Amino acid sequence: MASATLSPASPSPKPRWWRSRTVRRFCRHRLAMVGLAMIILLTLACILGPRLLPYDELFIDLRARFAPPFTGYHIFGTDPLGRDLAARLFMAGRISLLVGFFAMLLSTALGTVIGVTAGYYGGWAGSALMRFVDAFLSFPSIFLLLTLAAFIKPSPLMITVIIAVTSWMEVARIVEAEVRSLRERDFVLAARMVGLSNSWIMFRELLPNVIGPIIVAATLTVARAILLEAYVSFLGYGIQPPLPSWGNMLNGAQQYLANAPWLAIVPGVAITLAVTSFNFIGDGLRDALDARSDLN
């Protein structure tokens, strides 16, 4: 009688990322899903909207000045020069969302490098870096932003860089605290014993273990960057006309609040939706990346 041979059990396949517990927890967060849907709709509107409208953001029709919403093809009305408000809103959304996104990338990268370095080395080097962070935090961000913007020629690129330079400190503090709590763990000590370099340990061993807080902070940074761009443009130091942004649209609308309130309402609602949606997404990511959370 032939003996049966037992084959070793094959390891179970790793689940796809969209089936992971983190994704399931995020999908159960209702406000996060609402925020994600709203950001997708805003992004699609800003990408496709200018292509679908009969007028571009610079077309002037003096006969249609101050047309209220839903007048002919002007679904959001027109401005004092007769320019279509919807076309300007969607084009401004491209600028504001791109500024927010790339400012987030720059500030997150800068804050992560400084935070990982300070948390890993500690001692006088880490203390010096964190006192540098505290020095930046001691200045109100909006005043620091306005000071830099007043001395630099405004453009989307420069406004993005200025916002990033004034927004990296929170990420640095979060990353420094996480890395400091992990640097004496067994896996770090083992990496040192086998002779791995400090840069390898910092960015290949420690950084993947703090990616969750970084993602949450980055999401909230997008919302903050959009608000900062709107502040600076509203005060006249940011994106300059005729290039539209949500902030300078509000700036141009303030003298017409009584006669044409839609000029301020439309970009104001867009800013509110974008910022609130990113905050909802950040809250959902924070709960989803926390294994202890239980979203029922």
Side-chain angles (χ1 to χ4, degrees):
M1 180 177 180
S3 61
T5 60
L6 297 176
S7 59
S10 59
S12 58
K14 187 177 180 180
R16 302 289 185 177
W17 64 267
W18 58 84
R19 295 180 180 176
S20 65
R21 293 181 180 178
T22 300
V23 174
R24 291 200 301 268
R25 285 196 293 264
F26 180 79
C27 292
R28 289 198 296 267
H29 197 292
R30 296 180 180 177
L31 289 179
M33 296 306 295
V34 170
L36 181 61
M38 187 57 61
I39 291 300
I40 292 174
L41 289 177
L42 275 175
T43 303
L44 291 176
C46 293
I47 294 173
L48 301 177
R51 300 177 181 273
L52 301 177
L53 294 172
Y55 308 103
D56 63 29
E57 74 279 5
L58 298 178
F59 178 79
I60 295 176
D61 184 5
L62 294 177
R63 296 172 298 179
R65 297 173 67 244
F66 296 111
F70 304 107
T71 300
Y73 291 104
H74 304 294
I75 57 175
F76 292 150
T78 60
D79 68 2
L81 296 178
R83 295 174 297 190
D84 184 67
L85 203 61
R88 292 186 62 77
L89 179 78
F90 296 145
M91 188 58 66
R94 292 183 181 183
I95 301 297
S96 296
L97 290 175
L98 285 175
V99 167
F101 180 75
F102 284 106
M104 175 272 292
L105 289 180
L106 290 175
S107 64
T108 301
L110 180 59
T112 298
V113 171
I114 293 177
V116 169
T117 304
Y120 178 74
Y121 286 105
W124 68 266
S127 296
L129 285 174
M130 294 314 295
R131 298 298 77 76
F132 179 67
V133 173
D134 292 338
F136 265 82
L137 284 172
S138 65
F139 294 97
S141 297
I142 186 62
F143 295 127
L144 183 60
L145 181 62
L146 289 174
T147 301
L148 293 174
F151 291 99
I152 298 176
K153 183 179 180 181
S155 67
L157 176 60
M158 294 312 301
I159 294 300
T160 300
V161 173
I162 292 172
I163 292 175
V165 168
T166 59
S167 303
W168 58 271
M169 295 82 72
E170 290 81 1
V171 176
R173 297 194 69 167
I174 292 171
V175 174
E176 188 271 342
E178 293 288 334
V179 171
R180 182 157 39 87
S181 68
L182 294 173
R183 67 186 180 189
E184 300 301 330
R185 294 285 184 89
D186 291 342
F187 70 94
V188 177
L189 298 177
R192 290 172 181 163
M193 291 179 61
V194 300
L196 296 179
S197 64
N198 289 331
S199 60
W200 180 280
I201 296 174
M202 285 190 293
F203 296 104
R204 299 298 295 270
E205 301 292 338
L206 287 170
L207 185 58
N209 287 279
V210 299
I211 200 67
I214 293 175
I215 291 175
V216 175
T219 306
L220 299 177
T221 300
V222 178
R224 185 168 180 268
I226 292 173
L227 270 182
L228 288 175
E229 185 279 322
Y231 290 156
V232 176
S233 296
F234 177 75
L235 295 174
Y237 293 97
I239 309 298
Q240 298 297 308
L243 190 64
S245 77
W246 289 337
N248 66 28
M249 289 179 70
L250 283 175
N251 186 350
Q254 57 183 329
Q255 57 183 316
Y256 304 108
L257 290 177
N259 299 325
W262 60 88
L263 296 179
I265 292 174
V266 170
V269 169
I271 293 172
T272 302
L273 289 177
V275 172
T276 304
S277 298
F278 276 114
N279 284 329
F280 285 163
I281 294 172
D283 291 341
L285 287 172
R286 180 192 60 206
D287 292 340
L289 292 169
D290 185 0
R292 296 169 298 180
S293 66
D294 184 16
L295 300 177
N296 294 321

